[in-house]
Amino acid sequence: MAKLLEGKLIAEEIKKELSLTVQTLKQPPVLASILVGADPGALAYVRGQEKTAQSIGITYKLHQLPESISEDELIDFILGLNADKNVNGIVVQMPLPKHIDYRKISELVSAKKDIEGMHPANMGKVLFGRARIAACTATAVMELLNSTGVDLYGKEVVVVGHSEIVGKPLALLLLEKFATVTVCHIATSKTDRLEEHVRRAEVLIVAVGKPGLIKGDWIKDGAIVIDVGINCRGNKIVGDVEFAEAEKRASFITPVPGGVGPLTVAILMRNLVEAAKLQQ
Ligand code: NDP
């Protein structure tokens, strides 16, 4: 039976350390959070971020903007936050309305205040192996892997999902550890090759958003399984991996919820404190 990789416990440790660091700063760091519209999922996420920020001593300023805001107005708003010396970090909550180009917006947030690690300059530093701020979820996965004490050198690591916020930066962070990385995506599934890749994974990381995509009996004995997926099934939250069966085969496995999610928020706060330190 696998050991549970409880991200929420690691997150508590990180938050404790951060609250001590915050006390050494000249002023409490300020996180500006932009929410366009009132998506219920995004609102719930924002409330969680706010609670975490407050518990650390971070000032969390939510800017809820109307769904009808034009792209130009949003651009002006972000430029204002970039120029505001009292703001240390900026988060643009997803989803954005269809008339707003997400890529344009993520490039607009100043690299120094980009605590989500999505600015091309910060992404570029991940490629060169010298990132101070990397994508939060990818970093959270690396923290979880680190907590197992298992050396990734030469390990067969399979990442399922190649999004810009998880799969792609994660593949680069894993390469830094000399893992042998395979990245699977929609074409892997459509050509019926997902199972064969998953079956040989010594470390499996899944970030897709499809419940039950990874069958429990595909998991290699002793594998480490990190399930990033968050899906609603009835009134339950589940991941992308069939947990009950996978748990019998894996050596370590993340629960959903309580695995990657809480750690991602803690890493966001760590990135903010790091940005504030650099700015101060
Ligand atoms: P995206 O939708 O941006 O990316 C999903 C990825 O999965 C894409 O690369 C997509 O490929 C690939 N994919 C889709 N269907 C299949 C399939 N059948 N087989 C293999 N690959 C497939 O999602 P995100 O990366 O933003 O998020 C992924 C999941 O992780 C979601 O459930 C999300 O809620 C969760 N999440 C959790 C976080 C946490 O902190 N725990 C943080 C961020 C996300 P293609 O684009 O080519 O179709």
Side-chain angles (χ1 to χ4, degrees):
M1 200 63 115
K3 260 195 196 158
L4 280 186
L5 284 174
E6 295 192 78
K8 61 181 177 197
L9 300 181
I10 305 173
E12 285 311 318
E13 288 302 311
I14 293 177
K15 286 192 272 178
K16 249 188 245 163
E17 265 175 47
L18 287 179
S19 50
L20 295 176
T21 310
V22 162
Q23 287 167 27
T24 67
L25 298 175
K26 285 186 214 143
Q27 285 140 16
V30 176
L31 191 165
S33 165
I34 302 172
L35 176 63
V36 181
D39 178 80
L43 263 171
Y45 192 52
V46 160
R47 295 291 167 230
Q49 282 180 359
E50 189 170 25
K51 216 170 125 198
T52 304
Q54 284 166 352
S55 73
I56 295 168
I58 288 167
T59 306
Y60 191 90
K61 288 196 178 156
L62 175 64
H63 302 276
Q64 197 168 356
L65 305 175
E67 179 103 29
S68 58
I69 192 169
S70 71
E71 192 174 86
D72 284 345
E73 285 168 327
L74 181 60
I75 289 174
D76 282 346
F77 192 82
I78 293 173
L79 292 178
L81 292 176
N82 279 348
D84 186 343
K85 287 199 173 64
N86 295 316
V87 171
N88 302 106
I90 302 170
V91 174
V92 182
Q93 307 292 344
M94 294 298 132
L96 285 173
K98 289 205 168 57
H99 64 276
I100 293 174
D101 179 352
Y102 155 74
R103 198 176 291 266
K104 202 178 197 179
I105 296 300
S106 67
E107 288 183 17
L108 198 75
V109 171
S110 149
K112 289 186 177 139
K113 297 189 179 183
D114 162 43
I115 57 171
E116 293 184 285
M118 295 312 293
H119 189 282
N122 289 326
M123 281 283 184
K125 285 186 184 164
V126 173
L127 179 74
F128 294 120
R130 53 184 184 88
R132 290 189 79 156
I133 287 180
C136 300
T137 308
T139 307
V141 171
M142 294 307 289
E143 289 279 349
L144 284 163
L145 291 175
N146 189 41
S147 77
T148 65
V150 172
D151 189 357
L152 295 174
Y153 190 88
K155 286 271 183 313
E156 285 286 344
V157 181
V158 174
V159 179
V160 187
H162 66 159
S163 74
E164 285 160 13
I165 68 164
V166 193
K168 283 183 188 168
L170 183 56
L172 293 172
L173 294 172
L174 289 161
L175 280 174
E176 275 303 303
K177 301 285 177 199
F178 285 91
T180 306
V181 186
T182 303
V183 183
C184 302
H185 40 69
I186 189 70
T188 323
S189 277
K190 290 217 161 144
T191 51
D192 276 337
R193 305 193 68 177
L194 186 61
E195 178 178 347
E196 72 187 70
H197 288 292
V198 170
R199 279 193 183 276
R200 62 176 174 73
E202 295 173 285
V203 177
L204 174 70
I205 301 144
V206 190
V208 172
K210 290 192 176 155
L213 176 71
I214 306 297
K215 306 296 166 222
D217 64 1
W218 294 358
I219 304 299
K220 188 182 176 79
D221 280 337
I224 301 175
V225 178
I226 311 275
D227 192 349
V228 181
I230 300 176
N231 310 289
C232 291
R233 214 174 225 183
N235 54 5
K236 266 184 80 182
I237 304 282
V238 297
D240 294 338
V241 179
E242 286 181 348
F243 184 86
E245 191 58 33
E247 190 189 22
K248 292 182 200 154
R249 295 162 179 261
S251 55
F252 293 92
I253 189 166
T254 51
V256 179
V260 183
L263 198 47
T264 298
V265 182
I267 301 289
L268 180 75
M269 300 303 155
R270 191 168 77 185
N271 286 350
L272 173 74
V273 173
E274 188 64 24
K277 279 200 305 205
L278 289 173
Q279 290 159 29
Q280 287 183 11

